[in-house]
Amino acid sequence: MQDVESASAPLLSDAIDLGYLDPDQARFSQTPGGFLALNYKGADYPRVSVRRSLPLAMPNEYLSLADPEGKEIAILRDLSRLDADQRGLVEAELARRYYCPNVVDVKSVKDQLGYVYFELTVQGAGAPSARMCAVKDVNKNIRMLSDDDVIMFDVDGNRYRIPSLKALNAKSRKRLEPYLF
Amino acid sequence: MDKIDLAFTLDESMRPVDGRLTFDGEGVITVRENGERTRSLSAKDAKEAQVLGGVGCALILLTYENAPDIALARFDMSRLKAAGEWCKIVNHAIETGKPAFDDAIEPEVCEKCGKTLPEGMRVCPFCFSKTGLLKRVWSLMKPFRREAIISEAFIALSGVIYLSVPVLNRVLIDNYLAPRLGTAAQIMLLAGFMFLARAIGEVIFVLSSRVYARVGTLFSNHLRDLAYAKIQKLSMTALGRRTPGELIRRVMEDTVTIKDFLTDYGRWMVDMGLMFIASMVILALTNWRLTLLVFAPIPIVVVALYRFRSMIHIRYERQWRKNSRAQSILHDIIKGIRTVKSFGAEDREIAKFAGVSKDLAQVMTNNETMWALLFPAVTFFSGIGEFMVLYIGGKWILGGSLSLGVLVQFTMFLGYIYQPLRWLVSFPRMLADAMTSLVKMFEILDEEADIQETALSKDADVSGGVDYQSVSFGYKSYEPVLKEVSFTIEPGEMIGIVGKSGAGKSTLINLMLRLYDPNTGRITLSGEDLRAVSPRLLHEKAGVVFQDTFLFAGTIYDNILYAKPDATAAEVIAACVAANAHDFIMKSADGYDTLIGESGYSLSGGERQRLAIARAIIKHPRLLILDEATSSLDLETESIIQDSLNNLTRKRTTIAIAHRLSTLRAANRLIVLDKGRIAEMGDHMQLLRRKGIYYKLVMAQRQTNKAAG
Ligand SMILES: Nc1ncnc2c1ncn2[C@@H]1O[C@H](COP(=O)(O)OP(=O)(O)OP(=O)(O)O)[C@@H](O)[C@H]1O
Ligand SMILES: [Mg+2]
């Protein structure tokens, strides 16, 4: 259940019930239609979405489970509190909801009139594939999450991640260089 | 066409796939992955096809009345729009039993090369040819071209006069001094010529410089005006993407950088270039072997500079961005200083700014360091040339194959040749600086207004009704805020809009004011498609109070006048009386001349709102839009204002948004928005009887009123 964090100062998180999921009463399953279903405290939810509260900072904690109307059923405090097969199901659903393939190669970059066009090779699950994407306002849409970790957002709403700049090949890095800061 | 295809890109495990989702006229949906059929089902039993957005991806699913939902296809966000169209067609077939294939799902393609355009883009990255930046600068300089050219010509002239000095010098040495032949008068004449040449050259130079400086100032002024005018005209969509700090920087600083470049470097470029070429020709004619020695180090310098160019460019681009960021932060914080103080966050903000500032300093230091290293290196190389000329030329003189006069002429020319070269070293840096600023500048100037006012734009007729026809809109095309909204407002009607926070109420009126255009569907005003109506004229005719009232620094009087600059004092006072602002204004010593600070912070929230109402109604508009215009007022003041507004709003169309339902009691009809859709519509009684969302809202407010009373 909740972490006991400090005995002295009263915390807001103690005063407000966040509705954490009780893993013992929860049963996830995969539907033939391709969705995640949940049976929780006796109630059936045929299609639940799993939404990250902090997709970048804590991708596996504070996962909000909601029904198709967007009504929250419970918050899964930490993915690791589920046992392995249950966790696998939730992870698969997360992968289906959050799609952010890694950039493995930057073939070309073209910069004009406020748009920067990237010709990329990206890889999520499965084989690498070619992608052409346009980024507007690089200042905002290419973000350094750390010195080495980059995320980019294109005009369509796609996301691409470079988990480690150092691991990227030198040519690609050089092409990206002007847009990172 | 008898079937409709949608390409999709991801399989169930989010692996890339060449997928195809087909809906045929018979109502059968087929899913193919990499050419193989994976699924086939009938749309007839389904309730609806839906697009379900994820993060960075989305999917199409079929929902059923009594069966679990089925995910049909998954894809990246680039397919989203097409997917929406596909669902529309399928849903139409489900509802009516008839297929409708009138509009095919065609992604937008480039007219020239046929490649798919990224969504939201008008220029194809592959076919666009960059107009030379300098060419554009040239055309921007049009009004000042003549003066610039004249000044340039004079500078060139003074250069040529200067060049004559070393030549005369050689003649003096070789023809008169070395052979000891000349008379005092001849020497006097030559020396006098040299003196005159220098003097005249200097005078011409000073004069032309003054002309040039003036041209530069006028030009930067011109650029600043252009940028400012463009920013004023930009659509809300374009403005929303940039911080105020960034815009300010573009108007105030980039223009100066460009000007500095043009007046300092543009001019020297021509001047030095001419001197360089002329010197080269004169030297080559005098002694070509020695000339080769002079030019030996030049290729090295040029190659080195060329190699460093892109690196320098990147570095300065980065410096620009860091600078921009520091300014944005500064601007934001100063604007929000009240909030900062109220959270006791001054120290945190100091630290934050110090961090950014240090970052900037670091980048600048790095750039300067690189510079400090590069510069002497190039000077060193050109020094080699100097050495070789003296050494080898000296040997030739001793050997008798070269005259003393020629060597003296060469050493004098060395200055003319190497000086531009040394200067050429700092040129790429200045060029990079200026180019960065130029590009940023043109970025603004080239920004296509999303909402264009064309010569064909019609005047707005606000006396008629407003009609929304299945309007959908999202600030980002992939995040719809309004979905298929349709309703009609009769002329003279008062419409109330209610709904949860974030339901899209303010967005609805943003569209009506044409601050944004709908993504699909259309809005008509007095029967005219709003897209054909000039937004400027529309804004002149409609009275609006936005949810976040903004008052300008100035007097109360000026603020009211803002809406109608030619209004008389009587009109201003009348507006304030109607808005119930008159009394509080008269309480202060300076009355309508009271200065209100930036954003009007010296006023209370309710006072600000009342001024905003006065500003909106002074035009006596036939279309009045009130977004939570009285939310900060007590019930009594609100009802006073309402009564006077009701008198005013008779025969005029009014759209009012309010959370407090009592605000809308005079409304003819109410629209209840829920998650971007119209959930209910009708008058108060009708909606109460429906016992839906509105009913719940009314009951909830009654409850709180009771509890309070
Ligand atoms: N300029 C904008 N850029 C991007 N998204 C926006 C913008 N303005 C509003 N939104 C989003 O659009 C949705 C609808 O906003 P809107 O202002 O229309 O709500 P509203 O119904 O007026 O809410 P409220 O009652 O709180 O004023 C919100 O989710 C909001 O986050
Ligand atoms: Mg609003």
Side-chain angles (χ1 to χ4, degrees), chain B residues 37-307:
Chain B
R37 198 166 75 187
T38 54
R39 190 178 241 160
S40 209
L41 36 91
S42 163
K44 289 207 185 83
D45 329 323
K47 195 171 97 190
E48 197 188 16
Q50 267 180 22
V51 176
L52 184 64
V55 178
C57 62
L59 63 90
I60 287 184
L61 64 104
L62 274 186
T63 60
Y64 293 87
E65 210 63 71
N66 296 313
D69 306 336
I70 295 176
L72 291 179
R74 298 171 191 273
F75 36 86
D76 59 70
M77 298 298 273
S78 308
R79 309 296 313 158
L80 197 64
K81 204 169 160 191
E85 296 293 325
W86 191 88
C87 287
K88 249 193 222 167
I89 291 168
V90 172
N91 287 336
H92 181 82
I94 293 175
E95 268 169 42
T96 63
K98 284 189 299 247
F101 293 121
D102 41 29
D103 37 4
I105 314 165
E106 296 278 320
E108 285 173 48
V109 291
C110 168
E111 286 170 7
K112 268 195 217 149
C113 66
K115 284 201 179 81
T116 314
L117 287 177
E119 194 169 331
M121 210 122 325
R122 290 181 205 83
V123 238
C124 170
F126 297 100
C127 297
F128 178 81
S129 81
K130 217 176 206 164
T131 342
L133 276 180
L134 291 175
K135 215 164 121 196
R136 299 198 53 185
V137 174
W138 179 240
S139 69
L140 275 181
M141 276 188 74
K142 203 167 180 182
F144 319 106
R145 251 186 237 167
R146 222 176 56 130
E147 273 163 304
I149 290 176
I150 290 175
S151 153
E152 202 62 76
F154 274 109
I155 289 182
L157 183 65
S158 79
V160 171
I161 293 175
Y162 271 136
L163 285 183
S164 68
V165 173
V167 176
L168 289 173
N169 215 335
R170 186 198 72 209
V171 173
L172 183 69
I173 294 174
D174 279 359
N175 296 4
Y176 302 97
L177 298 183
R180 295 175 192 281
L181 284 177
T183 64
Q186 282 171 323
I187 292 171
M188 175 70 191
L189 191 69
L190 275 171
F193 262 129
M194 283 194 258
F195 171 74
L196 255 182
R198 275 194 194 280
I200 293 173
E202 205 61 42
V203 170
I204 294 178
F205 181 79
V206 169
L207 287 180
S208 68
S209 296
R210 284 186 46 182
V211 176
Y212 216 101
R214 208 174 71 87
V215 171
T217 316
L218 287 176
F219 181 62
S220 73
N221 225 349
H222 179 59
L223 268 185
R224 206 155 39 224
D225 291 350
L226 277 181
Y228 185 68
K230 182 74 194 199
I231 289 173
Q232 292 289 341
K233 296 233 172 80
L234 281 182
S235 69
M236 291 304 298
T237 323
L239 289 173
R241 282 194 296 257
R242 301 193 170 83
T243 61
E246 192 185 336
L247 291 172
I248 290 171
R249 182 165 156 73
R250 289 189 183 187
V251 175
M252 297 310 292
E253 284 181 32
D254 286 339
T255 51
V256 173
T257 313
I258 295 168
K259 177 211 116 183
D260 284 352
F261 178 78
L262 284 181
T263 48
D264 291 354
Y265 280 78
R267 170 180 147 192
W268 284 103
M269 190 161 62
V270 178
D271 186 24
M272 297 262 182
L274 277 177
M275 293 279 272
F276 186 85
I277 292 168
S279 308
M280 200 160 77
V281 171
I282 295 173
L283 288 186
L285 288 178
T286 321
N287 186 320
W288 65 269
R289 280 187 303 165
L290 209 52
T291 310
L292 283 185
L293 284 180
V294 173
F295 286 94
I298 290 180
I300 305 177
V301 174
V302 172
V303 168
L305 284 181
Y306 185 79
R307 294 217 46 160

Side-chain angles (χ1 to χ4, degrees), chain A residues 73-99:
Chain A
I73 302 162
I75 290 182
L76 176 53
R77 171 65 188 79
D78 192 332
L79 199 53
S80 66
R81 302 199 180 180
L82 298 179
D83 54 29
D85 68 314
Q86 289 280 292
R87 191 164 68 224
L89 291 174
V90 176
E91 274 169 347
E93 176 59 25
L94 281 173
R96 288 192 297 255
R97 181 177 159 80
Y98 293 87
Y99 183 63

Side-chain angles (χ1 to χ4, degrees), chain A residues 33-34 47 96-97 99 110 112-113 115 117 125 127 131 137-140 156-159 177-178 181, chain B residues 10 12 14 16 39 55 57 69 71 74 76-78 119-121 123 125 128 241 318 321 446-447 478:
Chain A
R47 190 179 112 203
R96 288 192 297 255
R97 181 177 159 80
Y99 183 63
K110 236 180 149 186
Q112 52 204 205
L113 298 181
Y115 291 99
Y117 301 88
R131 261 313 173 81
D137 300 305
V138 272
N139 293 6
K140 260 180 256 152
D156 291 340
N158 292 306
R159 293 151 178 245
E177 170 99 304
F181 56 99
Chain B
L10 297 165
E12 208 179 351
M14 305 306 274
R39 190 178 241 160
V55 178
C57 62
D69 306 336
R74 298 171 191 273
D76 59 70
M77 298 298 273
S78 308
E119 194 169 331
M121 210 122 325
V123 238
F128 178 81
R241 282 194 296 257
R318 183 169 302 170
R321 291 214 173 121
D446 289 344
E447 180 96 49
Y478 51 89

Side-chain angles (χ1 to χ4, degrees), chain B residues 255-449:
Chain B
T255 51
V256 173
T257 313
I258 295 168
K259 177 211 116 183
D260 284 352
F261 178 78
L262 284 181
T263 48
D264 291 354
Y265 280 78
R267 170 180 147 192
W268 284 103
M269 190 161 62
V270 178
D271 186 24
M272 297 262 182
L274 277 177
M275 293 279 272
F276 186 85
I277 292 168
S279 308
M280 200 160 77
V281 171
I282 295 173
L283 288 186
L285 288 178
T286 321
N287 186 320
W288 65 269
R289 280 187 303 165
L290 209 52
T291 310
L292 283 185
L293 284 180
V294 173
F295 286 94
I298 290 180
I300 305 177
V301 174
V302 172
V303 168
L305 284 181
Y306 185 79
R307 294 217 46 160
F308 279 117
R309 204 191 46 176
S310 75
M311 188 182 91
I312 292 172
H313 176 76
I314 289 171
R315 280 163 173 267
Y316 280 90
E317 168 85 18
R318 183 169 302 170
Q319 183 171 327
W320 190 92
R321 291 214 173 121
K322 293 255 185 217
N323 198 342
S324 193
R325 179 128 134 245
Q327 295 210 356
S328 293
I329 288 183
L330 196 61
H331 187 91
D332 271 9
I333 294 312
I334 290 177
K335 240 186 120 192
I337 194 75
R338 282 196 340 159
T339 313
V340 173
K341 284 190 177 295
S342 71
F343 281 104
E346 294 95 329
D347 288 341
R348 255 184 290 156
E349 288 302 338
I350 292 170
K352 184 165 148 202
F353 186 72
V356 177
S357 178
K358 199 174 129 204
D359 240 26
L360 175 63
Q362 186 63 49
V363 171
M364 286 173 78
T365 316
N366 285 349
N367 285 355
E368 293 305 321
T369 313
M370 177 197 69
W371 209 245
L373 287 176
L374 196 62
F375 192 77
V378 173
T379 312
F380 171 75
F381 275 115
S382 53
I384 293 180
E386 229 164 323
F387 165 78
M388 294 217 293
V389 168
L390 278 178
Y391 174 66
I392 297 179
K395 268 197 357 195
W396 285 345
I397 289 183
L398 294 181
S401 62
L402 190 73
S403 71
L404 180 63
V406 173
L407 186 66
V408 170
Q409 184 193 333
F410 264 79
T411 47
M412 285 180 83
F413 266 113
L414 277 179
Y416 291 140
I417 288 179
Y418 288 151
Q419 191 196 348
L421 206 60
R422 279 178 197 148
W423 167 87
L424 206 62
V425 179
S426 61
F427 183 71
R429 165 186 169 173
M430 293 303 152
L431 187 69
D433 249 2
M435 284 297 169
T436 312
S437 291
L438 264 179
V439 170
K440 306 285 168 213
M441 195 78 196
F442 284 134
E443 224 174 273
I444 288 277
L445 294 182
D446 289 344
E447 180 96 49
E448 285 245 10

